[in-house]
Amino acid sequence: MKKFEKGLYIISTPIGNRYDITLRAISILKNSDVIVCEDTRVTKNLFKLLELDFKDKKWLTYNDYKSDIRRNRIKKALDLNEIVSMVSDAGTPLISDPGYKLINYIREKGYKIFSIPGPCAAISSLVISGLKTDKFCFLGFLPRNKNKYVSILRNYSSLKSTIIIYEKATRINFLLNTLSSNFSTFKLVIVKELTKIYEEVIFINSKNVHTYIEKNVKLRGELTIIIEIVKDIDIIFSDKVLLIELKKLKPSQVSAMLSKKSTESREKIYKRCIGLIKNENKKN
Ligand code: SAM
């Protein structure tokens, strides 16, 4: 008789320090028939560190781009009364990691799914940041496009909650420049390589951000960013101002120029410009 109930176990694994895994997680991994993971090399390495036998397991790689055929294969293992464990390369699966479509699929089929909690870079970074923890909003990786990046930060800053993002070390100067040129008051905490040898926490705010930009600091490793933006008073240009500018410039140029000084995004101003031009054409 098996020690654990049949079902799919979503197991959090370390984000750096290999000891950051719960006793329950280790026990379930040990008793699993099937291991679903992103990269078998990474997870087999974890098994070695934990001194767990991995040769007696069935191994399946998974990401959400895989088709329902792969999800069905995982479901079939559950049909056979097997214990299936899902892990990601690090931290909590599904948090900026694969698994959402699988969970959705397995839930619909009516199987039991168990969460085995543990490390998550977002939460572990938030709690040491010193920024507000009563309301926070996790945005994962933001889009590469600068306008979309700014517009997401702007929209979420209106929630008056702390913002958590995952960011690449190579993009840190982009982040600093974006914040300093679009928001007048903010606090920023960069949590680097949490639980690892080169763990570091860097505190920046709107007053000293220029010093960091000038230094052109080059960071390495994995970063979680915690941000508190104090929302500026709304600056919305009137139709009259837009029409004056539209006499001299194209809608794309007007929206690019005014969005820098406005609370409204470039896309929103652009749409307003197009609407105003249509109205003007109807009048003539
Ligand atoms: N599922 C993971 C979790 O629960 O945190 C996150 C996976 S996501 C693909 C990887 C990102 O998480 C990294 O690019 C980095 O932004 C953040 N991250 C992961 N480990 C970290 C660490 N030790 N210190 C700081 N940030 C980390």
Side-chain angles (χ1 to χ4, degrees), residues 15 90-92 95-97 120-121 141 166 191 193-194 222-224:
I15 53 167
T92 300
I95 305 301
S96 292
D97 266 339
C120 172
F141 291 100
Y166 287 156
V191 182
E193 297 282 86
L194 193 64
E222 303 207 270
L223 310 181
T224 296

Side-chain angles (χ1 to χ4, degrees), residues 2 4-7 33 76-83:
K2 281 191 176 148
F4 295 100
E5 211 176 320
K6 96 163 182 174
D33 305 292
K76 278 194 174 145
L78 295 168
D79 287 337
L80 295 172
N81 220 9
E82 293 189 314
I83 293 174

Side-chain angles (χ1 to χ4, degrees), residues 255-270:
S255 54
M257 180 181 75
L258 295 184
S259 65
K260 289 192 182 129
K261 302 173 214 156
S262 169
T263 328
E264 282 188 318
S265 69
R266 187 174 168 167
E267 290 80 17
K268 202 161 180 186
I269 299 176
Y270 181 81

